[in-house]
Amino acid sequence: MYKYTIRAIIICLFFCGQIFAQGRIVQSVNSNWNFHKGDIAAGAKTDWEKVSLPHSWNTADVYDDTPGYYRGIGWYKKTLYIPAAWKNKSIYLYFEGANQITEVFVNGKPAGKHIGGYTAFSFSINQYLNLSDSLSANEVTVKVDNSHNADIPPLSADFTFYGGIYRDVYLVAANPVHFDMDDHASAGIRVKTPVVDNAKASVSIGGSICNTSAQKQNLKVVSEVIDAEGKIINKTEQKLIINASGKQAFDQQQTVPQPHLWSPEDPYLYHVVTRITDAKTGETLDEQSNPLGLRWFSFDADKGFMLNGKPVKLMGANRHQDYKDMANALPNALHERDMHLLKDMGANFIRIAHYPQDPAVLEACDRLGILASVEIPIVNSITESAGFTQNCLNMQTEMIRQNFNHPAVIIWTYMNEVLLRPQFQGDRQKTYFANVAKLAKSIDSLSRAEDPARYTMIPCHGAYALYNSVGLTRIPQIVGWNLYNGWYSAGLNGFEEFMDKFHKENPKTPFIITEYGADADSRSHSMKPERFDKSIEYEVMYHAHYIKQMMQRPFVAGAAIWNLVDFNSEGRAESTPHVNSKGITTETRDPKETYFLYQANLLTSPYIKIGGNQWKLRSGMSTDGATCTQPLTVFSNQPSVTLWLNGKTLGSANVVDHMAVFNVPFINGINKLRAIGTGVNTSDDQVVDFKLLPTQLNDTRIPFTELNVSLGDTRYFVDDKLQQVWLPEQAYTKGGWGYVGGEPLKSGGGRTSMGSDKDIFGTGYDPVYETQRLGIEAFKADVPDGKYEVTLHFAELQAKSNGELLVYNLGNDAKQTATVKSRAFDVSVNGQSFINALGSANYLEPQMAYSTSTVVVAKGGQGITIGFKPLSGQTILNAAQIKKIY
Ligand code: GCB
């Protein structure tokens, strides 16, 4: 907040031409800290590593194959140089956030302790400082601990609890007379807009002023409302006398006639500059600038959300705060970049979940016109302890006070899916549920008392009857539903059935779809998308269904996609281990096709985009010796689209649900695509590199080069780095390639799709290793004569080292148990022995990738036959590669 304030003050001074007299001094102190991972025993020699903030100690260990990540203590140390001229100032250390218990020491003396990883805190440090020299060195040490603690939310959650000082830290020196700096690290000033309509807005500016000096002070508080052009619209002055060491509240009212309203289309910002001056000399003692957006809003159970008197469907996304290889220690520019991603998608809403994030996020929302819900991280369950309750209430207070002045915020949220992991049974469970409801009521009343102008919300998982019976659907003003029909539970239609049922049975309760999403690995593609296949195409299908259903129902106030970004969740397995891939952009923010689907739905300017941006390297079989026809989707808000391939038109297609699907006859090599919207003249271009494979492998029109096949799989796997495409399996036919015998491994645990969702160790190619053909007799490829490298890939999927599958499955908590079955089989190539008795007793360790290659000369038109002979148990093959050398 202080960083925000100083930035805003600078902007304001620029516009207003005022003089920044003796206001606050704010310095970021992010550079050159010393860091030690682990605790420091008294007297022990300590190794320090140089780091800069923001910093987390979990950047790397959340991606490796070893389960878990470091949750413990880390120490930071830095020397601050404080001028003697600050002697009479109020000096504070301000932390935007550190996860999750932070203890600060100044010159070895404890200066403060903060609990909670996602809100800001600040400590007064005057009494611990040495100011004897003109510039005195003062040592600050900070102990941070991200260990599990039953009194601190979150207790468990589907994201990584990175440790460290992962946000900015500031040193602040204020005059003895200043706006309150001890109010939960808030600005010390609250800007409210009790009445806003088209004719006028009333603005109230209130807060407290502290006088830490030994003299009584004669002061003036001046507030100015300044428009975006820098013009002062209104000014109020109030005289105050504050006794020595006293504190006094102030409250000022202003009116803005014919306000320029704030909205997503026009996020017009005024500023309120509030100044404390010495009544006699006119000297500025402290100054703050806060954003002011004039808007009014309400939620209605039938009409949904209304902004400035008009219905507005809230459409947007949830957002986690991490980035690939950076943990959650992001520079502000990356936080801001995500808000631009959201805005460019056409979104007007963000659920900042599951915890308050960097101040840069809400600052960007204010500027860009993104309405926001912010929440504290109570996730899955609570602890029935006084400590836990206190920490929750404290976090909610900090969140509200620190973010109060952002016009973007419309909802204060708490308790995500809190009934997901009830730990007890029977009567004990009833008591637990009663305690959850009691805590919810306390947080709700606190929020309403702190801020009657915003709404409260609890996001629940689909167990409607349970949340109703516990009372959680009646405590907040809005209910959030996290719905995954068609993902964790089968059947996309369950989504609309749920919404209709809830609305019918609760006609007075507004609701938001606070989560919905499907995992998608940007490398996996399918022409037969199915649940759990993690293909980009299933994600598109899923979201298209949800968007349509929500848009048809005005009573659905809004929706937030789970998630804007792929994010780290260390305990997850699946195709991108440690990463929840429900993002509509990757961990490095490359848009998946689904992002374009939203742009086509939400943007009002003419829009056209050729899909398959992550499938520009394709491969497939040619039936005619020249082309391979594959589908391609164009996303648009135009009525129809014409597609051109290498300068020739492929005709037009109507845009249905913002998509036009074409069957494109790709040629070998470069394919230049151009899509043109037929409404307004908009176009998009894409180049696809296609690797055509002949149906008959000895077809001289398309000379054979390589074949990569993922067995037991119906998807294509694209490896942009190695420039390889893995094809789905097929049965062998004469002259071609494919498997002989066996069947694909089916997922267990009620899942219908193929393969396993385990993390396969020792590889980044998990989707390729997660599927396999069981009982395979042979893999054949009737390649032309020549010298080939044959590589075979295996993974033992039937057993996991600790016996259970790692599935974060909201719909089905039944654990899959798998027994270790021993297997052994011989592998031959063209009749020649290749691997003897391959199996559990030797190379095939559970969940480990194993590959081996050999060289074979195919001659006399015999092609290549890889034979599998069972000795015990079933044979397996996960993937095969055949590469022509000469
Ligand atoms: C949920 C949780 C969220 C998870 C998500 C998922 O319902 O609220 O934290 O990440 O599902 O992907 O399973």
Side-chain angles (χ1 to χ4, degrees), residues 1-45:
M1 195 42 109
Y2 284 70
K3 176 189 57 177
Y4 167 80
T5 309
I6 200 69
R7 236 193 257 161
I9 289 173
I10 290 164
I11 293 167
C12 179
L13 291 180
F14 176 77
F15 284 119
C16 313
Q18 293 163 354
I19 297 159
F20 187 19
Q22 296 297 307
R24 263 177 217 200
I25 297 164
V26 180
Q27 275 178 16
S28 74
V29 284
N30 291 333
S31 298
N32 296 339
W33 285 76
N34 293 293
F35 169 68
H36 173 79
K37 186 168 153 190
D39 204 356
I40 301 174
K45 191 182 165 303

Side-chain angles (χ1 to χ4, degrees), residues 351 354 378-381 414-422 429 432-433 458-468 470 472-473 479-485 488-489 498 502 512-516 808-813:
R351 175 177 167 223
H354 291 308
I378 307 173
V379 184
N380 295 347
S381 61
Y414 56 94
M415 285 192 171
N416 180 71
E417 303 187 349
V418 71
L419 304 182
L420 188 68
R421 304 255 182 268
Q429 191 177 68
Y432 174 79
F433 286 155
I458 296 185
C460 314
H461 74 280
Y464 162 36
L466 177 62
Y467 284 87
N468 245 7
V470 174
L472 296 187
T473 50
V479 176
W481 285 115
N482 297 349
L483 299 178
Y484 289 91
N485 308 81
Y488 290 122
S489 61
F498 184 99
F502 182 76
I512 290 178
I513 303 302
T514 31
E515 285 181 29
Y516 62 105
Y808 186 86
N809 187 340
L810 297 178
N812 172 14
D813 275 340

